[in-house]
Amino acid sequence: MAGAAAERKVIRVLLVEDEEIHRVLARALLRSAVGGVELDEAGTGAEAVRRVRDGGAGAYDLIITDGKMPVMDGHEIRAMGVTTPIVGLSSDTLPPDVDTFIKAGADDFTPKPLSKEKLVRILAKFNLA
Amino acid sequence: MSAANQLAALIANMFATGLLDDQFQQLQMLQDPSAPNFVSEVVTLFCHDGERIIGELAKLLDKPTVDFDRVDAFVHQLKGSSASVGALKVKNTCIQFREFCQQKSKDGCLKTLETVRINFYELRGKFQTMLQLERQVNGFPPNN
């Protein structure tokens, strides 16, 4: 996955978030923190799964997802067969909240609000920076 | 005092009185020529969301039987947007609010809702002044 991104020289990130204020912040951070990032957005877990399936293998290099959303939570995305690296993003940060994401198949977790530092760490972790 | 000085003094005061935290500085740093209205956009979203959520919370807590899960969900939402804009006082009040939701305490929730309302509208007023001053600094007349 990381090799494919390097060849494309563009990192494709899917942000799964139902609230506009968090999407606006994420857009600005991705624009500012890293060059060559294409951001797609989905408002529910179900829409995220649809985008991944429609995009084909390797459609995204990373999915950053909120937890609780209408229709389908971010926690349910992995269970729908998505293999892309997933990072949970939530303002619920107690150990049980983080465990919920990890047990549901997320590869990492970062607390809201997203920041430049957190984003750089995440992208480096998955060899996308 | 020039609009620029008034703006700087207002923002400094908002930090000094605990209304804002470092996250607001992060927003300011994200504003650049490619996104000249970024702070205004985020602040406006927060103000609209906050007003809507407070209204929903008031309705839910006015019912004879309170659905604390729904109340908690709205408070969670307000906490998240407060954190994203750097609204420290509102965010901290939301943390207390959620504890009363967990305890299923209607009285606690009602009292904390009032505190949230006060803190939110105090911040909203200052944000509105901030945006007006920014308009003046950028050479636009204030909105009426």
Side-chain angles (χ1 to χ4, degrees):
Chain A
M1 205 74 69
E7 285 171 10
R8 281 204 301 273
K9 297 189 175 71
V10 168
I11 302 163
R12 292 201 67 198
V13 176
L14 177 62
L15 174 70
V16 193
E17 170 61 65
D18 59 325
E19 292 174 52
E20 178 65 12
I21 192 171
H22 300 305
R23 290 201 297 266
V24 167
L25 179 59
R27 277 177 221 143
L29 282 164
L30 280 158
R31 183 190 70 239
S32 159
V34 183
V37 172
E38 281 182 10
L39 178 66
D40 275 352
E41 298 172 19
T44 70
E47 187 186 347
V49 171
R50 194 166 49 249
R51 283 181 176 271
V52 170
R53 287 177 178 166
D54 289 350
Y60 297 101
D61 300 297
L62 182 68
I63 297 172
I64 300 175
T65 181
D66 188 14
K68 294 184 181 130
M69 284 178 287
V71 182
M72 184 192 291
D73 287 349
H75 308 109
E76 300 172 70
I77 295 174
R78 182 70 80 211
M80 299 300 290
V82 171
T83 57
T84 310
I86 294 174
V87 174
L89 174 71
S90 175
S91 53
D92 287 332
T93 59
L94 295 174
D97 304 312
V98 178
D99 277 348
T100 300
F101 266 109
I102 302 303
K103 283 177 182 165
D107 300 280
D108 201 343
F109 174 88
T110 193
K112 279 182 182 173
L114 198 55
S115 69
K116 204 169 186 172
E117 291 73 26
K118 289 172 188 171
L119 192 56
V120 168
R121 181 193 71 78
I122 289 165
L123 293 174
K125 172 170 179 168
F126 295 103
N127 297 317
L128 297 173
Chain B
M1 194 190 282
S2 71
N5 287 342
Q6 286 180 66
L7 179 59
L10 172 65
I11 293 174
N13 175 265
M14 291 167 81
F15 279 107
T17 55
L19 280 175
L20 294 177
D21 63 21
D22 288 350
Q23 176 64 18
F24 187 76
Q25 285 177 325
Q26 296 277 334
L27 299 186
Q28 290 176 303
M29 290 194 291
L30 286 170
Q31 183 154 299
D32 61 23
S34 69
N37 300 314
F38 175 69
V39 173
S40 169
E41 187 180 2
V42 175
V43 163
T44 302
L45 277 168
F46 167 73
C47 291
H48 286 158
D49 284 352
E51 183 152 19
R52 174 183 57 82
I53 289 168
I54 288 171
E56 294 292 342
L57 288 169
K59 279 189 230 170
L60 286 169
L61 289 169
D62 198 35
K63 292 182 187 299
T65 304
V66 175
D67 184 341
F68 287 101
D69 286 343
R70 286 194 71 201
V71 172
D72 185 66
F74 276 115
V75 178
H76 168 78
Q77 200 176 326
L78 183 58
K79 179 189 157 200
S81 60
S82 302
S84 290
V85 79
L88 178 63
K89 206 182 263 191
V90 176
K91 182 188 78 174
N92 286 342
T93 313
C94 289
I95 293 170
Q96 293 171 356
F97 203 150
R98 294 194 78 191
E99 288 174 10
F100 285 120
C101 292
Q102 298 303 314
Q103 295 166 22
K104 298 194 188 313
S105 166
K106 185 173 180 176
D107 278 349
C109 285
L110 282 167
K111 283 178 188 157
T112 317
L113 173 60
E114 194 49 33
T115 306
V116 162
R117 202 194 303 267
I118 290 168
N119 290 342
F120 171 78
Y121 283 108
E122 180 191 6
L123 178 60
R124 191 183 78 158
K126 296 203 170 175
F127 271 152
Q128 286 170 339
T129 303
M130 183 190 80
L131 295 179
Q132 292 276 24
L133 287 168
E134 274 190 355
R135 284 181 61 83
Q136 289 178 51
V137 167
N138 294 328
F140 295 105
N143 283 329
N144 289 321

